[in-house]
Amino acid sequence: MAEVIKIVLTGGPCGGKTTALNFLKDELEKLNIKVFILEEIASNLLSNGITPQKLGVYEFHKQLFETQLKEENSLEEKAKAYNGEKAVILFDRGLLDSKAYVTDAEFKKYISISNKNEDVLRNSYDDVFHL
């Protein structure tokens, strides 16, 4: 079972997240570290026609949070099962990112559905880099 390190890259559009993800992946793989990447969930939802305009802002971000949480848990299990000493998961945005788009009450409401709070979410990552 591998030790799993979870790193989030966050920030606004065109901040260099994708470039940084690819750079980090290449550099870590040169060190023989297995790298897993979770692409930005919001982009995936939007490209599948799931938008705030169709669902409403709260429902969109609730679905985004639930999808991200599910994907993060799934990828973490996959990384833990890796037959090596260490694995790194790189995230294009994290679970706290949607907080910028909803009210504090709305954010607390949909994260509490998953029995999470802001501290638990923040502490689930080893590092967060804002670009």
Side-chain angles (χ1 to χ4, degrees):
M1 183 181 256
E3 172 193 1
V4 178
I5 298 168
K6 297 167 54 175
I7 301 171
V8 175
L9 298 183
T10 189
C14 300
K17 294 182 300 296
T18 301
T19 301
L21 282 171
N22 291 327
F23 173 80
L24 289 170
K25 180 180 186 294
D26 291 344
E27 293 301 309
L28 290 166
E29 287 177 343
K30 287 178 188 175
L31 300 171
N32 294 318
I33 297 172
K34 178 69 174 169
V35 177
F36 298 86
I37 294 179
L38 183 60
E39 302 291 334
E40 183 182 24
I41 300 297
S43 294
N44 293 340
L45 292 176
L46 294 169
S47 69
N48 286 308
I50 301 168
T51 68
Q53 293 78 14
K54 288 183 181 176
L55 296 180
V57 173
Y58 172 80
E59 286 299 324
F60 175 81
H61 286 284
K62 178 178 174 252
Q63 184 167 347
L64 170 61
F65 176 84
E66 291 170 345
T67 303
Q68 174 109 13
L69 183 60
K70 179 183 170 188
E71 293 296 323
E72 284 193 16
N73 290 336
S74 176
L75 196 55
E76 185 172 6
E77 289 304 313
K78 185 177 179 180
K80 283 180 181 176
Y82 170 66
N83 189 21
E85 186 177 318
K86 191 175 290 189
V88 172
I89 305 174
L90 300 174
F91 299 96
D92 187 340
R93 298 191 183 258
L95 288 164
L96 292 168
D97 280 54
S98 67
K99 186 177 181 185
Y101 301 96
V102 296
T103 67
D104 282 342
E106 289 172 328
F107 182 75
K108 288 176 184 173
K109 182 178 175 183
Y110 67 72
I111 67 171
S112 70
I113 293 168
S114 301
N115 295 320
K116 305 284 184 196
N117 65 45
E118 196 169 333
D119 290 335
V120 168
L121 296 177
R122 183 177 35 258
N123 293 330
S124 69
Y125 303 114
D126 295 292
D127 281 304
V128 177
F129 295 96
H130 189 276
L131 305 174

